[in-house]
Amino acid sequence: MKPLLRTNRLLSLLCLIWTASAVAADPFPSFKEKVLDPEIGKVCYAVTIADVDGDSKRDIVAVTENRVLWYQNPTWKMRVMIADQTPLDNVCIAPLDIDGDGKVDFALGAGWTKTGTIHWIKRGKSLDDPWSVHQIGEERWTHRMRWADVLGSGTPQLVVSPLNSTVGNGVRLTAFSIPEDPVNDRWPATILNGDLNRMHNHWHFDFDKDGIVETLTASREGVNLIRRTKSGWTKTHLGTGATADAPNQNGAGEVKTGKLANGNLFITSVEPMHGHSLVIYTPPSQGQSLWKRQVIESGFTRGHALWTADVDGDGSDEIIFGHSDTPETFGVIVYDSVEDGEKDSGTAWEKHVVDAGGMATEDLIVEDLTGDGRPDIVAGGRATHNLKLYVNTPKE
């Protein structure tokens, strides 16, 4: 081989190595803050994402103690969906086309510390008209709701988790099926579990990849998996949660699942309820039943919101976390899984602060709202009474 040819090939190889290294070393993105509502209400209890106006752009929907509001993408003009039409306080919301007319509706939980009313709301004739409110059922302490086909019927059910027990020693984790006439017919209810208490949140996913949707719960008893079998509903204990001798300082309060770049599943939680620690669980060792628990960071006063998404495009989900009652530092944080010798093991996490002191996070959700393929963050505040969008922006 001629010297010049060898030199050119060597330079080409070095160039390829440098290019690959530069791509791998792309800096973590920044998040540009946009205040959508500086004074949304006493509390922004919940936020969600849905195409409200049918233009194929994802809009933002927010729930306060007495209103449901939507913000139209991309101008973020605010419109009132309902106001003072449900018992105080509204607390949770979940989007779905309930009546099959091709337009999104919303299930809504209200009066959660008292009667616990479960409704669904339907849009008016125009985008500016008030939405109508219809009854689904009642369950005191109704606190969280999500749509999932946990019954395997082919259509999703509304799964509702109350916070505190009202019947026996546990809450009734209940799936409400959509009837033929959702306005006038009774919504059939199926109790999935009644053994767990102080259930702050739940999450749906296909745990064993068999096409059946299971439910993860975060409660005083830790992290549990509720699944449907041929013989009925079963409960499997996956994580201990926080352990303490003090009352109400045990278990978990938030729960989500994520995936590392190697395809491995992880579970993340805030522990205990309104807790001080952000935790990750990875699959158990052979012969073990409990998942391996690791505290990522602790010392928070009121951890209250949690999501997972690949915000930096590296193939591994980040953990997006919000806390709300530490005035000097409350806000939004993203934790990025980094290599620590054992590639993508989920044991090492790098912290990126998105908002420090400007968002007393009550709820957050992560989704691409600008159409650039990069997941953005939407958060609603408690003590700060605000709603913000954090736009995922690559660093130059």
Side-chain angles (χ1 to χ4, degrees):
M1 183 181 291
K2 295 180 179 180
L4 182 58
L5 181 59
R6 286 200 302 269
T7 301
N8 287 341
R9 286 186 176 181
L10 179 60
L11 288 173
S12 297
L13 179 61
L14 290 173
C15 184
L16 286 172
I17 293 173
W18 180 87
T19 302
S21 300
V23 171
D26 278 350
F28 196 81
S30 61
F31 288 86
K32 292 186 178 180
E33 174 185 305
K34 183 176 182 62
V35 178
L36 302 185
D37 203 324
E39 193 66 37
I40 194 170
K42 291 182 179 179
V43 182
C44 182
Y45 276 102
V47 291
T48 193
I49 305 295
D51 181 7
V52 178
D53 54 3
D55 65 352
S56 298
K57 295 185 178 71
R58 308 288 278 169
D59 307 301
I60 296 170
V61 178
V63 172
T64 74
E65 67 279 357
N66 67 327
R67 298 190 298 171
V68 179
L69 312 169
W70 75 281
Y71 298 77
Q72 189 173 21
N73 189 348
T75 64
W76 307 118
K77 175 183 176 180
M78 185 270 280
R79 290 182 174 89
V80 178
M81 298 164 74
I82 65 168
D84 302 312
Q85 293 163 257
T86 51
L88 293 173
D89 284 0
N90 298 321
V91 70
C92 53
I93 193 165
L96 186 76
D97 178 6
I98 293 172
D99 56 4
D101 66 354
K103 301 174 183 178
V104 70
D105 308 297
F106 293 87
L108 177 69
W112 71 283
T113 61
K114 305 175 182 68
T115 305
T117 55
I118 305 167
H119 315 266
W120 70 276
I121 60 175
K122 178 179 174 63
R123 63 186 294 175
K125 292 182 179 180
S126 77
L127 294 176
D128 295 305
D129 289 334
W131 291 42
S132 56
V133 179
H134 307 281
Q135 190 77 4
I136 293 176
E138 290 186 0
E139 186 71 20
R140 192 180 174 196
W141 289 108
T142 288
H143 190 249
R144 294 290 183 263
M145 54 175 52
R146 303 187 187 280
W147 293 100
D149 185 13
V150 294
L151 303 183
S153 66
T155 58
Q157 301 84 45
L158 180 66
V159 182
V160 175
S161 55
L163 179 63
N164 295 317
S165 63
T166 55
V167 178
N169 295 320
V171 307
R172 294 191 294 199
L173 179 67
T174 304
F176 292 90
S177 299
I178 303 173
E180 184 175 349
D181 182 353
V183 173
N184 298 304
D185 293 349
R186 182 182 67 86
W187 287 54
T190 302
I191 297 176
L192 312 184
N193 182 269
D195 300 334
L196 304 170
N197 197 5
R198 292 182 68 77
M199 188 181 295
H200 193 262
N201 215 331
H202 68 273
W203 186 248
H204 303 290
F205 73 119
D206 183 356
F207 177 71
D208 40 20
K209 299 180 181 178
D210 60 355
I212 298 174
V213 178
E214 283 87 21
T215 304
L216 270 179
T217 62
S219 68
R220 183 174 61 187
E221 295 79 8
V223 177
N224 286 273
L225 180 73
I226 310 300
R227 68 170 81 190
R228 174 174 51 90
T229 66
K230 292 181 179 179
S231 58
W233 296 92
T234 64
K235 178 184 68 179
T236 304
H237 190 47
L238 300 184
T240 59
T243 56
D245 294 331
N248 299 326
Q249 291 300 305
N250 298 308
E254 293 290 331
V255 66
K256 294 289 186 299
T257 58
K259 188 176 68 173
L260 299 172
N262 60 11
N264 288 346
L265 175 75
F266 67 85
I267 297 170
T268 182
S269 64
V270 176
E271 298 178 354
M273 187 182 90
H274 296 174
H276 47 68
S277 296
L278 177 65
V279 173
I280 183 175
Y281 291 91
T282 50
S285 303
Q286 188 172 3
Q288 301 293 314
S289 58
L290 288 179
W291 285 43
K292 290 179 282 187
R293 179 180 184 268
Q294 175 192 340
V295 176
I296 295 177
E297 188 171 8
S298 61
F300 304 104
T301 302
R302 191 177 185 269
H304 204 268
L306 198 59
W307 206 266
T308 61
D310 183 6
V311 301
D312 60 357
D314 65 354
S316 184
D317 285 339
E318 282 71 50
I319 298 172
I320 302 92
F321 167 68
H323 55 117
S324 66
D325 277 3
T326 312
E328 296 80 11
T329 60
F330 61 39
V332 179
I333 305 171
V334 177
Y335 294 85
D336 183 22
S337 178
V338 296
E339 296 179 14
D340 61 342
E342 183 183 354
K343 184 178 180 180
D344 210 23
S345 63
T347 57
W349 296 82
E350 186 174 57
K351 178 178 179 179
H352 301 269
V353 177
V354 175
D355 191 330
M359 172 56 63
T361 315
E362 182 74 3
D363 193 25
L364 60 76
I365 191 169
V366 183
E367 192 167 326
D368 176 19
L369 291 171
T370 62
D372 62 0
R374 296 176 173 272
D376 309 299
I377 303 170
V378 178
R382 174 173 279 269
T384 48
H385 319 296
N386 53 353
L387 177 70
K388 290 185 182 182
L389 167 64
Y390 305 91
V391 179
N392 189 332
T393 307
K395 288 185 177 178
E396 297 180 357

